[in-house]
Amino acid sequence: MQPAPDPQADKILPFLPSGESWIARHVRDLPRSGIRDFFDLVQSMEGIVSLGIGEPGESTFWNIREQAIFALESGKTGYTSNLGLLRLRQAISGYMERLTGVCYDPEGEILVTVGVSEALDCALRAIINPGDHVLYADPSYVAYSPSVLLAHGVPIGIPTRFEEEFQLRAEAVAQRAKPGVKALLLNSPANPTGAMVDEGELEKIASLSEREDWVVLSDEIYAELTYEKRHRSIASFPGMKERTVVLNGLSKAFAMTGFRLGWACGPAPLIAAMVKIHQYSMLCAPILSQEAGIEALEHGATQIESMRRSYRRKRNYLWRSLTAMGFPCHRPEGAFYLFPSILPFHLSSQEFAFRLLQEARVAVVPGTAFGSSGEGYLRCSFSPRMGDLEEAVARMNRWMRANFRKGACPTAGD
């Protein structure tokens, strides 16, 4: 026997919101990260060799870990200043001057953040009014476009081309210098391509930014990881320190991804605006990470050089290997990614990556995760340990021979 219907149900149910209706439109319409979707699948499989995750394959250096342990045992478990520990900001100031030639006042021109991701979010929210346009290179790091959207801005990708080694050109930037553009978001060396903006082009972009009165957000998280030429910060050009927020941190060069420690350096009024956002969302970066960061910046230079030499060797090995297998591929100037073309194999980036995962048990990232200009490419990280790289190359080589009748397997070395 069915229960009698509730006569009040029709009156109540139409007014009960569904879970979907509670979500803000600009969040509801935001796509999930292509990298996260892909690696949810990877984590459900066994025996995978991954060239996909963008983090160092080695653990944080022991002296840095030891400093975090010592700080914990010393009872340093409280809040810090919103700006971050003064001693850390002083260390950042000295480090950035050595790295970029630009001096920042630790009292008001440096903000310590929870990774570069938070620094980027604070910077965008501090400068964007609804509808402002932000320019960036495409393909790009997966968070750029969504971060602009979450700040109610309009992301405008500037396509870069394989034929130009994915370099961002000043002429292409100038073509988008239209009313409504508020900022330019730079990333050099770049994720996912490893490309560095040529110094001559960077100078032209600096002049253009000054002429158009743009704010420049310069993501320099890979600044230390360059191989043939030295990194040049756009903030070091005349007149650019006053309009540039430089974003950097300890995740990549110091192998400290899990510490979630980054910073922003820029004009005091912009940093002050970012602090307003930071203090109401994060309050401060974790004190243990900040204590470890002091050790990294004061005593980590030798370890960075060792890591760079290791990356250079692994870059050369993976680049030669992919080239021998038939992938058109540039040798990147920085970061720890290769961005090989798969156009000769007549598969989409998604299809190629999924087949490689399922059939060869090697994980790479489809280029489309980084924007529409990434179609036809894959991101392959050379940050894993050499043994993992060699195993990945061996598996890929067998799979390529079986499916495309081409392949070779170089040995590791310079």
Side-chain angles (χ1 to χ4, degrees):
M1 182 176 177
Q2 295 291 329
D6 180 354
Q8 299 299 316
D10 288 341
K11 296 179 182 178
I12 297 172
L13 291 177
F15 297 99
L16 292 176
S18 68
E20 186 74 16
S21 69
W22 292 333
I23 301 171
R25 285 189 298 274
H26 71 290
V27 175
R28 183 193 62 207
D29 297 338
L30 201 67
R32 276 173 52 90
S33 165
I35 293 181
R36 290 300 114 201
D37 278 344
F38 190 73
F39 279 94
D40 284 347
L41 174 61
V42 171
Q43 289 171 2
S44 71
M45 302 173 65
E46 295 183 357
I48 304 299
V49 179
S50 179
L51 305 183
I53 297 296
E55 67 175 331
E58 305 296 334
S59 298
T60 305
F61 307 124
W62 168 246
N63 63 306
I64 299 171
R65 286 182 280 151
E66 189 175 49
Q67 184 59 41
I69 294 168
F70 179 74
L72 178 62
E73 291 181 339
S74 300
K76 295 183 178 180
T77 57
Y79 294 130
T80 73
S81 159
N82 294 142
L83 286 166
L85 292 170
L86 178 58
R87 186 178 165 199
L88 175 58
R89 284 180 278 135
Q90 290 169 336
I92 291 169
S93 178
Y95 180 76
M96 292 298 287
E97 186 169 11
R98 295 190 297 274
L99 182 66
T100 68
V102 182
C103 181
Y104 294 97
D105 180 2
E107 296 284 353
E109 294 182 332
I110 297 173
L111 169 63
V112 178
T113 59
V114 182
V116 174
S117 297
E118 196 224 342
L120 174 63
D121 179 58
C122 287
L124 288 169
R125 288 202 278 163
I127 66 171
I128 290 178
N129 292 307
D132 284 342
H133 292 192
V134 178
L135 307 179
Y136 65 96
D138 180 8
S140 72
Y141 174 51
V142 295
Y144 289 165
S145 177
S147 294
V148 174
L149 289 169
L150 286 170
H152 301 285
V154 180
I156 306 292
I158 303 173
T160 57
R161 303 170 61 240
F162 179 89
E163 294 77 12
E164 296 177 338
E165 300 188 11
F166 296 105
Q167 284 255 350
L168 181 64
R169 303 289 183 184
E171 181 180 0
V173 179
Q175 289 172 357
R176 287 152 182 85
K178 303 201 172 123
V181 175
K182 181 71 170 286
L184 172 65
L185 177 50
L186 285 177
N187 181 213
S188 178
N191 175 9
T193 63
M196 294 177 66
V197 181
D198 179 79
E199 190 166 323
E201 293 294 315
L202 197 61
E203 185 173 16
K204 294 176 185 176
I205 292 171
S207 296
L208 175 64
S209 300
E210 193 168 15
R211 185 171 72 243
E212 297 292 331
D213 195 26
W214 292 341
V215 178
V216 177
L217 307 180
S218 186
D219 181 352
E220 301 181 12
I221 188 63
Y222 297 99
E224 298 89 340
L225 302 180
T226 64
Y227 306 108
E228 274 71 49
K229 63 185 183 184
R230 185 177 174 84
H231 167 76
R232 176 79 186 266
S233 174
I234 194 169
S236 67
F237 288 95
M240 289 306 295
K241 179 188 173 185
E242 293 76 15
R243 66 176 58 253
T244 302
V245 178
V246 176
L247 313 174
N248 205 334
L250 301 178
S251 291
K252 311 300 182 177
F254 292 90
M256 293 176 65
T257 52
F259 284 81
R260 307 309 306 130
L261 195 69
W263 58 79
C265 299
L270 286 181
I271 295 298
M274 291 172 64
V275 171
K276 289 182 182 180
I277 299 161
H278 173 73
Q279 68 186 358
Y280 292 127
S281 55
M282 293 298 180
L283 184 67
C284 64
I287 189 171
L288 299 181
S289 296
Q290 294 192 53
E291 291 285 347
I294 294 169
E295 174 67 21
L297 294 174
E298 291 184 347
H299 303 106
T302 302
Q303 294 155 322
I304 287 182
E305 184 55 38
S306 173
M307 184 179 289
R308 181 166 43 229
R309 287 196 300 268
S310 173
Y311 281 144
R312 184 178 184 277
R313 177 171 175 259
K314 290 189 288 187
R315 176 203 64 171
N316 291 346
Y317 167 70
L318 188 58
W319 173 68
R320 288 201 311 271
S321 299
L322 293 176
T323 301
M325 283 185 245
F327 293 91
C329 185
H330 299 299
R331 190 171 67 167
E333 295 180 311
F336 42 57
Y337 310 106
L338 282 86
F339 205 60
S341 170
I342 56 168
L343 294 176
F345 310 117
H346 307 292
L347 296 173
S348 71
S349 295
Q350 288 276 355
E351 185 178 3
F352 195 104
F354 275 94
R355 282 191 58 186
L356 186 65
L357 178 65
Q358 297 283 356
E359 299 169 19
R361 290 296 197 262
V362 175
V364 296
V365 184
T368 46
F370 306 97
S372 59
S373 295
E375 179 56 83
Y377 302 91
L378 306 171
R379 191 188 76 174
C380 304
S381 174
F382 53 86
S383 63
R385 297 177 181 180
M386 181 58 81
D388 290 332
L389 288 181
E390 291 173 331
E391 178 62 23
V393 164
R395 293 184 186 189
M396 291 180 70
N397 197 61
R398 288 193 296 269
W399 186 76
M400 291 293 292
R401 285 184 183 277
N403 289 278
F404 303 105
R405 299 183 181 176
K406 186 174 179 69
C409 200
T411 57
D414 280 330

